[in-house]
PDB file of all heavy atoms in Angstrom:
ATOM      1  N   CYS A  47     -26.121   6.933  17.448  1.00 89.00           N
ATOM      2  CA  CYS A  47     -27.298   6.442  16.705  1.00 89.00           C
ATOM      3  C   CYS A  47     -28.375   7.520  16.608  1.00 89.00           C
ATOM      4  O   CYS A  47     -28.839   7.882  15.540  1.00 89.00           O
ATOM      5  CB  CYS A  47     -27.838   5.187  17.372  1.00 89.00           C
ATOM      6  SG  CYS A  47     -29.365   4.578  16.617  1.00 89.00           S
ATOM      7  N   GLY A  64     -29.180  -3.202  13.186  1.00 86.00           N
ATOM      8  CA  GLY A  64     -30.308  -3.811  13.869  1.00 86.00           C
ATOM      9  C   GLY A  64     -31.076  -2.852  14.740  1.00 86.00           C
ATOM     10  O   GLY A  64     -30.923  -1.625  14.683  1.00 86.00           O
ATOM     11  N   CYS A  66     -32.560  -0.900  18.053  1.00 88.00           N
ATOM     12  CA  CYS A  66     -31.926  -0.197  19.163  1.00 88.00           C
ATOM     13  C   CYS A  66     -32.248  -0.908  20.478  1.00 88.00           C
ATOM     14  O   CYS A  66     -33.333  -1.496  20.640  1.00 88.00           O
ATOM     15  CB  CYS A  66     -32.424   1.239  19.225  1.00 88.00           C
ATOM     16  SG  CYS A  66     -31.964   2.241  17.795  1.00 88.00           S
ATOM     17  N   HIS A 120     -59.940   2.065  30.195  1.00 89.00           N
ATOM     18  CA  HIS A 120     -59.029   2.230  29.059  1.00 89.00           C
ATOM     19  C   HIS A 120     -58.706   3.701  28.878  1.00 89.00           C
ATOM     20  O   HIS A 120     -59.382   4.594  29.399  1.00 89.00           O
ATOM     21  CB  HIS A 120     -59.690   1.689  27.789  1.00 89.00           C
ATOM     22  CG  HIS A 120     -60.932   2.437  27.407  1.00 89.00           C
ATOM     23  ND1 HIS A 120     -60.931   3.544  26.595  1.00 89.00           N
ATOM     24  CD2 HIS A 120     -62.242   2.250  27.791  1.00 89.00           C
ATOM     25  CE1 HIS A 120     -62.169   3.994  26.462  1.00 89.00           C
ATOM     26  NE2 HIS A 120     -62.982   3.240  27.188  1.00 89.00           N
ATOM     27  N   ALA A 242     -96.519   4.575 -45.128  1.00 82.00           N
ATOM     28  CA  ALA A 242     -97.011   5.597 -46.059  1.00 82.00           C
ATOM     29  C   ALA A 242     -97.379   4.984 -47.407  1.00 82.00           C
ATOM     30  O   ALA A 242     -98.400   5.328 -48.010  1.00 82.00           O
ATOM     31  CB  ALA A 242     -95.943   6.683 -46.236  1.00 82.00           C
ATOM     32  N   SER A 259     -86.979 -13.652 -44.985  1.00 81.00           N
ATOM     33  CA  SER A 259     -85.577 -13.936 -44.700  1.00 81.00           C
ATOM     34  C   SER A 259     -85.283 -15.400 -44.985  1.00 81.00           C
ATOM     35  O   SER A 259     -86.142 -16.156 -45.455  1.00 81.00           O
ATOM     36  CB  SER A 259     -85.268 -13.614 -43.232  1.00 81.00           C
ATOM     37  OG  SER A 259     -86.041 -14.449 -42.380  1.00 81.00           O
ATOM     38  N   GLU A 357     -79.970 -50.963 -37.652  1.00 90.00           N
ATOM     39  CA  GLU A 357     -80.612 -50.346 -38.803  1.00 90.00           C
ATOM     40  C   GLU A 357     -82.123 -50.236 -38.606  1.00 90.00           C
ATOM     41  O   GLU A 357     -82.743 -49.255 -39.003  1.00 90.00           O
ATOM     42  CB  GLU A 357     -80.291 -51.134 -40.070  1.00 90.00           C
ATOM     43  CG  GLU A 357     -80.669 -50.395 -41.338  1.00 90.00           C
ATOM     44  CD  GLU A 357     -79.991 -50.945 -42.576  1.00 90.00           C
ATOM     45  OE1 GLU A 357     -79.157 -51.853 -42.433  1.00 90.00           O
ATOM     46  OE2 GLU A 357     -80.292 -50.458 -43.679  1.00 90.00           O
ATOM     47  N   VAL A 423     -82.725 -34.174 -54.152  1.00 75.00           N
ATOM     48  CA  VAL A 423     -81.412 -34.517 -54.685  1.00 75.00           C
ATOM     49  C   VAL A 423     -80.341 -33.955 -53.749  1.00 75.00           C
ATOM     50  O   VAL A 423     -80.335 -32.769 -53.447  1.00 75.00           O
ATOM     51  CB  VAL A 423     -81.220 -33.951 -56.105  1.00 75.00           C
ATOM     52  CG1 VAL A 423     -79.835 -34.322 -56.645  1.00 75.00           C
ATOM     53  CG2 VAL A 423     -82.308 -34.463 -57.028  1.00 75.00           C
ATOM     54  N   LEU A 450     -81.554 -43.650 -53.156  1.00 76.00           N
ATOM     55  CA  LEU A 450     -80.974 -44.208 -54.373  1.00 76.00           C
ATOM     56  C   LEU A 450     -79.579 -43.626 -54.523  1.00 76.00           C
ATOM     57  O   LEU A 450     -79.403 -42.405 -54.569  1.00 76.00           O
ATOM     58  CB  LEU A 450     -81.817 -43.828 -55.599  1.00 76.00           C
ATOM     59  CG  LEU A 450     -83.034 -44.709 -55.908  1.00 76.00           C
ATOM     60  CD1 LEU A 450     -83.766 -44.151 -57.111  1.00 76.00           C
ATOM     61  CD2 LEU A 450     -82.622 -46.140 -56.158  1.00 76.00           C
TER      62      LEU A 450
END
Side-chain angles (χ1 to χ4, degrees):
C47 175
C66 295
H120 63 89
S259 63
E357 192 162 356
V423 180
L450 276 178

